[in-house]
Amino acid sequence: MTLEAVYASVVARNPGEPEFHQAVREVLESIGPALARHPEYAEARIIERICEPERQIIFRVPWEDDHGRVHVNRGFRVEFNSALGPFKGGLRFHPSVYLGIVKFLGFEQIFKNALTGLPIGGGKGGADFDPKGRSDREVMRFCQSFMTELYRHIGEQTDVPAGDIGVGSREIGYLFGQYKRITNRYETGVLTGKGLSYGGAQVRTEATGYGAVFFAEEMLKQTGDSLDGKRVVVSGSGNVATYAIEKVHQFGGTVVACSDSNGYVLDEKGIDLALLRELKEKRRARLDDYVGHMPQAVAVSGRTVWEVPCDLAIPCATQNEIGGAEAASLVAGGCVAVVEGANMPTTPEAVRILGRAGVRFAPGKAANAGGVAVSALEMQQNASRDSWTFVQSEQRLRETMRDIHARCWSTAEEYGLPGDYVAGANINGFRRVAEAMLAHGLV
């Protein structure tokens, strides 16, 4: 079966899931050279098997708000591929969550996890619940109801969820408490992203943002360059964006703009990280409040942060935020590299525009793998009843991102595609999963 036929089959079997279709096409467009070199993959129908989740779970989540009103949400867990280890991937709580989003994220997670070199498979989950504006007790009741169904499908040797958009340390704590209550087991390895007081890992909160910047530094180093003195734009102002900004500043770059759903803030002196955290993490305020404290800054509503000229762009918000027009703006503004801190934030059209202009592009499955890498290290510490220092954990993260970059770079060169990080990431991840699936037989 040709790759086009495989893709057509995926679309036909999964109607109305454009994000999942996009994620599959992006991988299929890259792996042709690997299939040509390894005909045994086609004979064993590895591609078709990878594109079909091992298990898809959808369930009802009823909960009661502070006024006694009953709400009903929908929960999901897609256990996509366990060839390399237990399913591993975050939970997303956001109104946009539906099966297609979870499948796209889970499919990406297969290759992202494979690139880390660690023994973890790919999965993802979440719910169409919005924690914004809800009290702690409302969030607690929702999480307890969600885990009352989810607990039967997870375990430290089976499926290990973590956090994602809308699921931070508060939510993970409530989920873990309910799991412990139902199972009567203190199984710390069943969830990652836990608090440090009960089995969490140092650097897990910072890992995705830090990791993206470590990858960016490796990209620039490959051409004899560095982040020092670079003008950087970051989308988002949440966890990933915040720690990406912090690490860019530590490397000598200057993040001049970041964004939220209302627009963006431009501060030519560099985003003040302490103020940003105060506004977003403590006050849960809008980003435009920033200008009230920094008179030199400018708040721009209803427009894209990608119109700001920069050397490096790090999208850290959500999928498909950089389209063709935004990519053209980045090219016109002198951008030399785009490093994805979010999952699939760049559309296929935008990737083509960046490529034609010679802009280096790092896909999320490589560049934002830092979060799941430290999650796997958290699992390792839980299994050995150990706890590493911040310095140890950050060093392991940096080494892992260096290794991921090396795998992408060397694989692209091996297949005659030097500098193509998309091809390098997809082929390397696909090849590792394919070899494990061949070894396991027809399962």
Side-chain angles (χ1 to χ4, degrees):
M1 185 180 287
T2 66
L3 290 176
E4 277 299 326
V6 171
Y7 177 71
S9 173
V10 168
V11 172
R13 288 168 64 85
N14 303 273
E17 299 175 358
E19 298 88 357
F20 178 49
H21 303 162
Q22 180 182 336
V24 170
R25 176 175 279 282
E26 190 259 355
V27 170
L28 295 185
E29 286 178 345
S30 300
I31 62 174
L35 294 174
R37 193 174 294 187
H38 297 277
E40 65 272 23
Y41 296 166
E43 291 168 13
R45 304 289 290 273
I46 293 294
I47 307 167
E48 292 90 336
R49 288 156 61 189
I50 282 181
C51 291
E52 185 66 26
E54 292 182 28
R55 196 170 296 108
Q56 301 179 63
I57 303 151
I58 305 176
F59 52 95
R60 181 179 63 198
V61 188
W63 59 282
E64 190 176 88
D65 68 21
D66 290 340
H67 304 287
R69 292 189 291 265
V70 174
H71 301 258
V72 180
N73 287 95
R74 183 173 287 177
F76 304 88
R77 189 67 182 173
V78 173
E79 297 174 333
F80 226 115
N81 191 289
S82 61
L84 297 177
F87 305 104
K88 185 82 191 78
L91 297 170
R92 176 177 293 193
F93 290 170
H94 192 271
S96 66
V97 170
Y98 80 107
L99 185 59
I101 289 281
V102 177
K103 284 165 70 174
F104 129 62
L105 293 167
F107 185 76
E108 287 274 295
Q109 202 77 42
I110 300 169
F111 305 96
K112 180 187 302 186
N113 293 1
L115 280 168
T116 68
L118 298 167
I120 44 179
K124 206 74 177 184
D128 58 357
F129 168 75
D130 190 355
K132 285 185 179 177
R134 293 294 177 183
S135 70
D136 287 349
R137 288 191 173 275
E138 288 174 327
V139 172
M140 179 184 70
R141 286 192 288 270
F142 174 83
C143 289
Q144 289 174 339
S145 182
F146 184 86
M147 183 54 81
T148 298
E149 174 59 35
L150 185 66
Y151 87 94
R152 69 190 82 244
H153 305 292
I154 63 175
E156 60 186 4
Q157 302 300 329
T158 307
D159 184 354
V160 183
D164 190 46
I165 293 172
V167 179
S169 59
R170 174 184 62 173
E171 289 77 15
I172 291 293
Y174 295 149
L175 291 165
F176 181 77
Q178 186 71 352
Y179 180 87
K180 182 169 68 74
R181 179 185 186 189
I182 293 171
T183 63
N184 193 33
R185 295 197 301 271
Y186 203 96
E187 192 178 327
T188 51
V190 73
L191 288 166
T192 58
K194 301 181 295 296
L196 295 177
S197 62
Y198 64 102
Q202 297 274 8
V203 190
R204 177 60 190 91
T205 304
E206 298 87 350
T208 306
Y210 277 17
V213 178
F214 287 145
F215 195 96
E217 180 72 0
E218 292 299 316
M219 279 180 75
L220 293 169
K221 192 186 299 181
Q222 196 68 40
T223 56
D225 202 353
S226 75
L227 275 164
D228 189 37
K230 291 291 184 294
R231 179 183 170 92
V232 183
V233 168
V234 172
S235 69
S237 48
N239 179 71
V240 179
T242 297
Y243 290 106
I245 293 169
E246 178 176 280
K247 189 54 67 177
V248 167
H249 289 173
Q250 288 176 9
F251 274 122
T254 303
V255 177
V256 296
C258 62
S259 64
D260 64 10
S261 56
N262 278 6
Y264 69 87
V265 161
L266 173 64
D267 187 344
E268 293 289 352
K269 291 185 176 180
I271 295 295
D272 186 296
L273 198 55
L275 175 57
L276 181 64
R277 284 178 172 151
E278 172 71 23
L279 292 173
K280 302 304 290 187
E281 296 174 8
K282 295 182 180 178
R283 300 191 209 170
R284 300 184 186 273
R286 304 307 309 180
L287 187 58
D288 51 19
D289 287 357
Y290 182 98
V291 299
H293 301 267
M294 295 290 173
Q296 79 278 2
V298 177
V300 180
S301 298
R303 280 159 55 188
T304 170
V305 71
W306 309 122
E307 67 186 17
V308 178
C310 64
D311 301 309
L312 173 68
I314 309 179
C316 296
T318 190
Q319 64 271 6
N320 292 328
E321 58 174 295
I322 299 180
E326 290 78 18
S329 291
L330 286 169
V331 171
C335 184
V336 299
V338 174
V339 176
E340 292 190 324
N343 292 302
M344 206 171 72
T346 315
T347 68
E349 178 192 9
V351 174
R352 287 191 291 271
I353 290 170
L354 295 170
R356 285 197 298 267
V359 177
R360 281 162 283 171
F361 175 75
K365 61 172 62 71
N368 74 21
V372 75
V374 175
S375 282
L377 299 179
E378 182 176 333
M379 293 166 64
Q380 184 176 330
Q381 292 169 76
N382 292 159
S384 61
R385 298 292 193 267
D386 198 2
S387 181
W388 302 345
T389 67
F390 191 97
V391 172
Q392 285 176 298
S393 299
E394 185 176 9
Q395 182 60 31
R396 286 291 301 273
L397 170 62
R398 189 167 190 178
E399 290 169 359
T400 299
M401 298 310 298
R402 187 182 299 128
D403 290 345
I404 292 172
H405 178 273
R407 290 188 186 101
C408 294
W409 183 267
S410 62
T411 302
E413 288 204 319
E414 178 187 347
Y415 283 85
L417 300 163
D420 188 338
Y421 286 96
V422 174
N426 286 335
I427 292 173
N428 188 280
F430 171 73
R431 202 169 54 184
R432 184 166 182 242
V433 176
E435 289 297 329
M437 292 177 73
L438 284 176
H440 297 163
L442 192 58
V443 295

